[in-house]
Amino acid sequence: IDAPEQFDASYFGITAPEARAMDPQQRLLLEVANDGLADAGFERSDLMGSSVAVLVGQANNDWIQMQSWDLRKVSPYTATGMSASISAARISYALGLKGASYIIDTACSSALVALDNAATTLRRTHCLAAMNAAANVMMSASTYISFSKPRMLSPKGRCFTFDASADGYVRGEGAGVVVLRSLADAGNLTRAVLRGVAVNQDGRSSNLTSPNGPSQQAVVLSALSEAAVLPHTLDLLETHGTGTELGDPIEVGALQAVLGGPARIKPLFLSAVKTDIGHLEGGAGIAGLLKLATSLQGRSLPANLHLRDRKSVV
């Protein structure tokens, strides 16, 4: 993301000194939240005091590293500017939203776990809408180096998802938002229908960050069950698809076990937005969700880039 400091603070009633102290992720989240609510049919004047919920997926907090080393930069706004919890609270404050408001940090699944919370909040509390937002901005060299040390990152600088040459992922920046409303309220503004969500954990794997195939099978089956969708009827699936030697084969194997079989008579297309924009880490799920919704609307699926030899995952 170029020039994240170019932020219209006055539009949100934020002073210049406070804006300078704000994590760029907070700035981006404010902007996409404002645009997302407008796209969902809300006038800003109608939002004040409304029961709109804000659930933010955010894993990285490089800004705190940049602020803590130079005490001359500390201001009355530093504490809120570098606090991850404020990412959601600031949206609610700026727009006057009174629904549930908090962040979710579950590493690379943060955005999708926040989506699960948003859906649950909408169903349980009958709020006006539930906003699922996420952002990722890279600002600290130490974070980058910490991911390089265990060889998580591709030395080629690309995500070769599902390809035999997969050698790690490349980090990406971005921000996005989806606004969940009931079908009765959304009307012709509906971009896609969320029929089921599910969350679980790998449990024991070969190490703390390695995926677990049976656990992945279980969570896919759980989501399909809630959505009342038969596995063999799926046409398209947006994958995690990081482009790692370990993760991709495990993910594809789990999907083959759950979604394949003799009942499937048509192909299942696997999509991976990380080949286009890299891995947004805590924000990865929102990028995949937006790509999937756009693909469904346009009935067109962009190709997975850098895919030449699929033998490693067949």
Side-chain angles (χ1 to χ4, degrees), residues 130-289:
M131 183 162 47
N132 171 218
N136 192 54
V137 178
M138 303 177 292
M139 293 167 281
S140 168
S142 62
T143 301
Y144 214 104
I145 294 169
S146 71
F147 291 153
S148 299
K149 292 289 187 181
R151 301 181 184 275
M152 294 179 179
L153 305 184
S154 169
K156 302 186 188 78
R158 295 289 186 272
C159 291
F160 293 87
T161 305
F162 307 136
D163 194 77
S165 63
D167 58 359
Y169 73 88
V170 58
R171 303 182 71 201
E173 295 184 319
V177 61
V178 293
V179 177
L180 305 185
R181 304 184 70 179
S182 69
L183 281 174
D185 291 339
N188 61 5
L189 292 173
T190 303
R191 303 297 183 91
V193 178
L194 182 67
R195 297 181 59 178
V197 289
V199 174
N200 76 351
Q201 225 283 341
D202 283 324
R204 293 288 292 184
S205 300
S206 58
N207 59 57
L208 179 62
T209 58
S210 293
N212 180 298
S215 295
Q216 291 188 2
Q217 294 178 38
V219 77
V220 171
L221 287 171
S222 181
L224 290 171
S225 175
E226 183 172 282
V229 172
L230 295 175
H232 68 273
T233 64
L234 287 182
D235 296 312
L236 168 64
L237 193 142
E238 175 65 27
T239 64
H240 187 45
T242 55
T244 59
E245 295 177 85
L246 176 66
D248 285 2
I250 291 176
E251 181 175 16
V252 173
L255 295 175
Q256 286 176 331
V258 171
L259 306 177
R264 175 164 294 281
I265 59 174
K266 56 183 178 179
L268 172 66
F269 292 93
L270 301 184
S271 177
V273 73
K274 292 177 180 67
T275 66
D276 299 287
I277 62 174
H279 188 355
L280 270 59
E281 294 158 351
I286 203 77
L289 183 59

